[in-house]
Amino acid sequence: MELLKEGARVAKSGEKVQFKETDAFELPAELEAAFETDPAFKAAFGALTPGRQRGYILHFSGAKQSATRAARIAKHRDRILFGKGLQDR
C-alpha cells in the first residue's frame, strides 16, 4: 500500500526520471566497425530517435561474445536501415 501512495505522490508532484543521454553509452566495437565499413548504416543509425538508438545499443552490448554482438548487428541491420526500432513491427 505504501508503494502505491509513493507512486501517487510522485505522479502528482510532476517529478521526472533522468535518463542517461544516448552519447553516454559506450558503443560496442563491432558496431563501430560496422559503421566504418558501411556509411549508410551509420547514417541510418544516427537518424533513429535517441530511444531507438539506446535500445539497439543495449541489445548489442548485452551479448558477452563478440560473435554474438556481430550476429545481432547483422540481424538488425535492415531494420535500422528502414528506421525501425528494436520493438517496432
Side-chain angles (χ1 to χ4, degrees), residues 12-62:
K12 288 179 184 176
S13 72
E15 292 180 36
K16 300 290 181 185
V17 176
Q18 295 296 323
F19 294 104
K20 287 172 60 176
E21 293 292 324
T22 303
D23 297 340
F25 290 98
E26 185 175 334
L27 295 178
E30 296 79 8
L31 185 59
E32 290 179 356
F35 288 163
E36 289 176 11
T37 59
D38 190 355
F41 179 61
K42 181 177 183 176
F45 190 84
L48 293 174
T49 63
R52 288 179 174 159
Q53 289 179 7
R54 272 192 302 273
Y56 280 120
I57 291 169
L58 292 173
H59 179 62
F60 298 153
S61 299

Side-chain angles (χ1 to χ4, degrees), residues 44 48 52 56 76-85 88:
L48 293 174
R52 288 179 174 159
Y56 280 120
H76 294 288
R77 182 182 178 280
D78 289 339
R79 295 178 59 77
I80 292 170
L81 289 173
F82 285 117
K84 294 192 175 216
D88 295 346

